[in-house]
Amino acid sequence: MFQQNYGPFYPYYYRRPESSFPPVTIEYFGKSLTAYLTLLEHGRIIINSLVTSQDTMVQLMEAAQASDDAQVDQVIKSTGVPSVVETSYTPTGVTFTLRADAEGSQCCRLTMYLRWGF
Protein backbone atom coordinates (compact mmCIF):
# COMPACT_ATOMS: atom_id res chain seq x y z
CA MET A 1 0.00 0.00 0.00
CA PHE A 2 1.24 3.46 -0.89
CA GLN A 3 1.24 6.24 1.74
CA GLN A 4 1.75 9.83 0.72
CA ASN A 5 4.10 11.95 2.80
CA TYR A 6 3.09 15.57 3.20
CA GLY A 7 6.11 16.61 5.14
CA PRO A 8 6.31 18.05 8.64
CA PHE A 9 3.24 19.67 10.21
CA TYR A 10 3.59 23.24 11.41
CA PRO A 11 0.61 24.39 13.51
CA TYR A 12 -0.92 27.76 12.66
CA TYR A 13 -1.37 30.00 15.68
CA TYR A 14 -4.31 32.33 15.40
CA ARG A 15 -3.73 35.69 16.97
CA ARG A 16 -6.87 37.34 18.26
CA PRO A 17 -7.33 40.89 17.06
CA GLU A 18 -7.04 43.58 19.67
CA SER A 19 -10.34 44.19 21.44
CA SER A 20 -12.21 47.41 20.88
CA PHE A 21 -13.83 47.02 24.31
CA PRO A 22 -12.42 48.57 27.46
CA PRO A 23 -10.88 46.20 30.00
CA VAL A 24 -13.41 44.59 32.32
CA THR A 25 -13.82 45.86 35.85
CA ILE A 26 -15.71 43.85 38.44
CA GLU A 27 -16.22 46.52 41.09
CA TYR A 28 -19.84 47.40 40.22
CA PHE A 29 -20.69 43.76 39.49
CA GLY A 30 -19.41 42.81 42.95
CA LYS A 31 -21.58 45.48 44.53
CA SER A 32 -24.59 44.18 42.60
CA LEU A 33 -23.91 40.66 43.83
CA THR A 34 -23.67 41.88 47.42
CA ALA A 35 -26.93 43.81 47.06
CA TYR A 36 -28.58 40.71 45.60
CA LEU A 37 -27.57 38.68 48.64
CA THR A 38 -29.53 41.20 50.71
CA LEU A 39 -32.53 40.77 48.40
CA LEU A 40 -32.34 37.01 48.82
CA GLU A 41 -32.33 37.40 52.59
CA HIS A 42 -35.34 39.73 52.43
CA GLY A 43 -37.13 37.21 50.19
CA ARG A 44 -36.35 34.53 52.75
CA ILE A 45 -37.96 36.69 55.47
CA ILE A 46 -41.20 36.88 53.48
CA ILE A 47 -41.25 33.17 52.67
CA ASN A 48 -40.40 32.10 56.22
CA SER A 49 -43.08 34.37 57.65
CA LEU A 50 -45.73 32.93 55.34
CA VAL A 51 -44.62 29.31 55.82
CA THR A 52 -44.65 29.56 59.60
CA SER A 53 -48.01 31.32 59.94
CA GLN A 54 -51.18 30.01 58.38
CA ASP A 55 -52.94 33.13 59.70
CA THR A 56 -50.63 35.33 57.62
CA MET A 57 -51.29 33.18 54.54
CA VAL A 58 -55.05 33.47 55.06
CA GLN A 59 -54.85 37.25 55.62
CA LEU A 60 -52.81 37.70 52.44
CA MET A 61 -55.10 35.56 50.31
CA GLU A 62 -58.30 37.11 51.68
CA ALA A 63 -56.99 40.64 51.13
CA ALA A 64 -55.96 39.74 47.56
CA GLN A 65 -59.32 38.11 46.90
CA ALA A 66 -61.03 41.33 48.03
CA SER A 67 -58.59 43.39 45.86
CA ASP A 68 -57.59 45.29 49.00
CA ASP A 69 -54.11 46.45 47.95
CA ALA A 70 -53.55 48.41 51.16
CA GLN A 71 -54.26 45.34 53.28
CA VAL A 72 -52.02 43.17 51.06
CA ASP A 73 -49.19 45.67 51.58
CA GLN A 74 -49.87 45.69 55.33
CA VAL A 75 -49.69 41.90 55.53
CA ILE A 76 -46.34 41.92 53.69
CA LYS A 77 -44.99 44.69 55.95
CA SER A 78 -46.06 42.62 58.97
CA THR A 79 -43.55 39.94 57.90
CA GLY A 80 -40.78 42.28 59.03
CA VAL A 81 -39.11 42.58 55.64
CA PRO A 82 -37.09 45.83 55.55
CA SER A 83 -37.32 46.27 51.77
CA VAL A 84 -40.13 47.80 49.79
CA VAL A 85 -42.03 44.92 48.22
CA GLU A 86 -44.18 45.35 45.13
CA THR A 87 -46.97 42.81 45.20
CA SER A 88 -49.28 41.77 42.41
CA TYR A 89 -51.72 38.91 42.41
CA THR A 90 -54.14 36.97 40.28
CA PRO A 91 -56.64 34.26 41.16
CA THR A 92 -53.86 31.70 40.61
CA GLY A 93 -50.88 33.25 42.38
CA VAL A 94 -48.96 36.13 43.89
CA THR A 95 -45.81 37.88 42.71
CA PHE A 96 -43.41 39.68 45.05
CA THR A 97 -40.80 41.98 43.53
CA LEU A 98 -37.91 43.40 45.58
CA ARG A 99 -35.37 45.87 44.19
CA ALA A 100 -31.95 47.01 45.36
CA ASP A 101 -29.56 49.84 44.56
CA ALA A 102 -25.80 49.91 44.27
CA GLU A 103 -24.00 53.25 44.12
CA GLY A 104 -27.29 55.11 43.79
CA SER A 105 -28.67 53.26 40.77
CA GLN A 106 -30.88 50.22 40.56
CA CYS A 107 -28.72 47.16 40.11
CA CYS A 108 -30.86 44.16 40.73
CA ARG A 109 -34.34 42.78 41.17
CA LEU A 110 -35.70 39.63 42.81
CA THR A 111 -39.08 38.44 41.57
CA MET A 112 -40.81 35.57 43.31
CA TYR A 113 -43.97 34.02 41.89
CA LEU A 114 -45.92 31.70 44.17
CA ARG A 115 -48.93 29.80 43.00
CA TRP A 116 -51.91 29.57 45.33
CA GLY A 117 -54.72 28.28 43.15
CA PHE A 118 -55.62 26.45 39.95
Side-chain angles (χ1 to χ4, degrees), residues 51-72:
V51 164
T52 58
S53 173
Q54 288 185 350
D55 289 340
T56 305
M57 283 191 273
V58 169
Q59 289 174 2
L60 177 65
M61 292 179 75
E62 286 179 346
Q65 192 172 36
S67 296
D68 188 348
D69 293 338
Q71 183 62 29
V72 168

Side-chain angles (χ1 to χ4, degrees), residues 8 13 66 74 86:
Y13 293 101
Q74 184 59 40
E86 297 172 17

